[in-house]
């Protein structure tokens, strides 16, 4: 049933995605960030729905908006993004190993850059930019709220071992995406006039933070701490914000589950397998840079 609902909804939106590419971009973002296809159990789970949507919205731009709205806005950041894609393409072309894995992820990377550039062109007003922000915040917030509520009901027991799928499948990647969503939810909430929206985003932020802790991702925890300090710095009420953070920091060892505290206590242990693997990977990467300083070695080489 889930497969049919997701598939029929996406198919029903395809004509709109062609006529109005910005709506297609919102639909693409929903599929990319919330990944409803990964909540299915049958044929929709493996269908490339986002690929079909991208064809519709890009084709719609070419047919309906070309000449009226630019594909992207060329400025230093978008030019650097394109330059990076060119450098990676050269590295990919010169790589010693080309197989199904490298080919797939190279084209996935190129698709990401193209969609990012297209997003810059489509979000050419405050209203459109706010719309895409809300779509991303709600999509990622769904998992923050869902897993946070499960954590509350279980009394903080249990670890979140993986994310929904795709680039968010690894628990560290999933946790980092949720940390990035915390300031997005927070600032969208305080910018709303409706009280219930502000309260809902505050609850979503709290449950998302709990979800991040349950992933056992130490990198995400450190990112969360710096994010909290940055929000406090930008709040305009620095003393009050710091007082809240100090209070939460004092309560954290008391209310946090033991398994979370044990995991976070190993942050400084460079002999621990996960931390040591990162040190080895960085050392290997430096050797690769020394041997191939300009073009690199290519993906998965």
């Amino acid at each position: 049933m889930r497969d049919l609902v997701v598939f029929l909804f996406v198919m029903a939106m395809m004509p709109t995605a062609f006529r109005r590419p910005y709506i297609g971009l919102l639909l693409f973002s929903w599929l990319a960030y919330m990944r409803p296809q990964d909540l299915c159990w049958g044929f929709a789970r493996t269908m490339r729905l986002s690929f079909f949507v991208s064809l519709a919205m890009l084709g719609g731009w070419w047919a309906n908006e070309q000449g009226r709205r630019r594909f992207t806005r060329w400025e230093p950041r978008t030019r650097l993004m394109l330059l990076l894609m060119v450098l990676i393409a050269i590295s990919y072309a010169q790589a010693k190993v080309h197989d199904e894995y490298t080919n797939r992820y190279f084209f996935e990377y190129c698709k990401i850059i193209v969609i990012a550039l297209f997003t810059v062109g489509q979000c050419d007003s405050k209203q459109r930019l706010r719309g895409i922000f809300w779509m991303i915040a709600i999509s990622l917030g769904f998992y923050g709220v869902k897993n946070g509520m499960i954590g509350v009901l279980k009394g903080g027991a249990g670890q979140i071992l993986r994310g929904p799928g795709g680039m968010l499948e690894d628990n560290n990647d999933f946790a980092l995406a949720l940390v990035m969503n915390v300031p997005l939810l927070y600032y969208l909430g305080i910018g709303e006039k409706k009280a219930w929206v502000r309260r809902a985003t505050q609850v979503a932020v709290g449950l998302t933070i709990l979800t991040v802790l349950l992933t056992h991702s130490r990198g995400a925890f450190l990112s969360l701490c710096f994010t909290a300090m940055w929000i406090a710095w930008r709040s305009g009420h620095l003393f009050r914000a710091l007082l809240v953070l100090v209070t939460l920091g004092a309560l954290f060892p008391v209310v946090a589950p033991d398994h979370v505290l044990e995991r976070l206590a190993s942050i400084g242990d460079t002999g621990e397998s996960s931390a040591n693997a990162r040190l080895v990977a960085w050392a290997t990467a430096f050797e690769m840079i020394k041997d191939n300083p300009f073009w690199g070695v290519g993906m998965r080489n």
Side-chain angles (χ1 to χ4, degrees), residues 110-125:
C110 291
K111 183 184 76 172
I112 291 169
I113 297 297
V114 170
I115 297 299
L117 294 173
F118 183 69
T119 301
V120 175
Q122 286 293 309
C123 297
D124 56 359
S125 68

Side-chain angles (χ1 to χ4, degrees), residues 20 77 85 113 119 146 213 236 257 291:
R20 300 180 60 188
R77 288 164 294 186
M85 185 174 74
I113 297 297
T119 301
K146 173 191 171 185
L213 294 175
D291 290 341

Side-chain angles (χ1 to χ4, degrees), residues 159 213 216-218 252-253 256-269 272:
Q159 176 189 356
L213 294 175
H216 282 202
S217 174
R218 295 163 297 185
F252 181 72
D258 291 338
H259 62 92
V260 171
L261 295 175
E262 291 174 4
R263 179 65 172 172
L264 297 179
S266 65
I267 286 179
D269 183 8
E272 190 265 341

Side-chain angles (χ1 to χ4, degrees), residues 239-295:
F239 178 76
R240 187 168 63 185
L242 288 177
L243 189 62
V244 171
L245 290 182
V246 170
T247 303
L248 292 176
L251 290 174
F252 181 72
V254 179
V255 299
D258 291 338
H259 62 92
V260 171
L261 295 175
E262 291 174 4
R263 179 65 172 172
L264 297 179
S266 65
I267 286 179
D269 183 8
T270 57
E272 190 265 341
S273 59
S274 179
N276 187 61
R278 285 167 170 78
L279 296 175
V280 171
W282 294 341
T284 304
F286 278 120
E287 293 300 319
M288 294 160 71
I289 291 170
K290 287 193 294 184
D291 290 341
N292 305 271
F294 294 105
W295 307 123

Side-chain angles (χ1 to χ4, degrees), residues 168-179:
L168 301 180
E169 184 171 3
D170 179 80
N171 71 314
N172 292 291
D173 299 333
F174 176 53
L176 183 58
L178 294 184
V179 171

Side-chain angles (χ1 to χ4, degrees), residues 155-220:
Q159 176 189 356
I160 298 173
L161 299 175
R162 62 185 294 275
M167 289 188 295
L168 301 180
E169 184 171 3
D170 179 80
N171 71 314
N172 292 291
D173 299 333
F174 176 53
L176 183 58
L178 294 184
V179 171
M180 295 169 71
N181 201 41
V182 165
L184 196 55
L185 279 169
Y186 176 78
Y187 285 112
L188 286 172
I190 63 176
E192 284 292 325
K193 295 180 180 179
K194 297 178 180 178
W196 71 268
V197 176
R198 293 197 300 270
R199 287 194 292 268
T201 53
Q202 290 168 1
V203 171
V205 166
L207 292 173
T208 297
I209 291 173
L210 176 59
T211 300
V212 171
L213 294 175
L214 293 178
T215 63
H216 282 202
S217 174
R218 295 163 297 185

